[in-house]
Amino acid sequence: LQVNNNGVVSFGTMVPEFTPQPFPLPGHRPFVAPYWADVDTRLGGDVFYRQSRDPWLLARLAQDLAPSVPSGDPPPQPTWAFVATWDRVAYFGAASDKVNTFQAVLASDGVTCFVLLNYGDLQWTVGIANQGDPCTGLGGIPTQAGFNSGDDVHYYNVPGSRTPAVQSLSHRSNLGVPGRWAFRVDHFEATEGPPEIPGIPSKTPESPWS
């Protein structure tokens, strides 16, 4: 696993591109994109990642993932997790203090595999190399979110990707929990989220995440 500065977790190869593309991508490049954009940590923020078998974390993940499993199916019981967090990261060419916080979690019990995407405060969608405004971090070619299996068949574009609506990921969900998206990826199950619900506040970076 490789954690890329540009908001992508990739498998086997780096993803250097800072211009997001819709899935599926050409070539065999599996990766998870919680927020594929032109992140620039030189201007602010940090990227953290870790593998874990911590029982508390795994129990929390099982709870968070439970709504993603159809009624009657066994509940998720992950035994391993990989967590990558982009904490208050800036965008390339930023002339403001706008930052984003988001996270990707991979979880597995050795058979079933899940991707969990968590979103805190999202204040920008694009850097200046993708025609974004340096003061607002908006415009141009906005962020892509979802996952790409690399087989041209199993992929998912989170609704709103590469449009201004991607900034509302912290208010939307496919689980009924604003800012949380989950997918079972060992066999393809993806459910588009409901429309954004006006008036629901986003989580703050201080919220307790996995």
Side-chain angles (χ1 to χ4, degrees):
L1 290 175
Q2 292 187 308
V3 177
N4 301 266
N5 202 56
N6 57 4
V8 171
V9 177
S10 57
F11 300 80
T13 183
M14 294 179 62
V15 179
E17 295 94 338
F18 51 80
T19 300
Q21 301 294 326
F23 302 144
L25 299 176
H28 301 288
R29 296 195 299 165
F31 63 81
V32 175
Y35 208 80
W36 183 10
D38 201 358
V39 173
D40 191 344
T41 52
R42 297 172 301 179
L43 298 178
D46 296 286
V47 181
F48 306 102
Y49 57 91
R50 61 190 171 111
Q51 294 187 72
S52 180
R53 295 185 183 272
D54 177 71
W56 182 91
L57 172 62
L58 297 174
R60 171 67 188 273
L61 272 175
Q63 180 181 15
D64 290 350
L65 291 168
S68 68
V69 177
S71 178
D73 282 10
Q77 295 292 335
T79 57
W80 171 90
F82 182 88
V83 183
T85 305
W86 288 257
D87 182 39
R88 300 183 59 79
V89 292
Y91 56 94
F92 178 70
S96 74
D97 58 0
K98 291 189 172 185
V99 291
N100 289 342
T101 297
F102 53 92
Q103 182 182 73
V105 183
L106 313 181
S108 176
D109 63 5
V111 178
T112 56
C113 301
F114 293 86
V115 169
L116 182 68
L117 306 179
N118 287 313
Y119 296 94
D121 197 17
L122 299 176
Q123 300 177 0
W124 61 267
T125 63
V126 61
I128 64 171
N130 290 324
Q131 295 81 56
D133 184 296
C135 295
T136 66
L138 305 175
I141 303 172
T143 302
Q144 164 75 11
F147 60 85
N148 186 71
S149 69
D151 63 5
D152 298 326
V153 176
H154 302 100
Y155 60 89
Y156 187 68
N157 298 294
V158 173
S161 290
R162 299 182 84 245
T163 77
V166 75
Q167 191 179 4
S168 68
L169 282 174
S170 58
H171 301 280
R172 297 186 286 124
S173 175
N174 66 347
L175 297 178
V177 180
R180 183 176 298 158
W181 298 75
F183 311 95
R184 181 173 172 179
V185 294
D186 55 287
H187 72 271
F188 183 65
E189 289 182 8
T191 305
E192 291 201 4
E196 180 179 351
I197 303 172
I200 293 182
S202 64
K203 294 197 299 291
T204 66
E206 289 77 28
S207 295
W209 281 354
S210 298

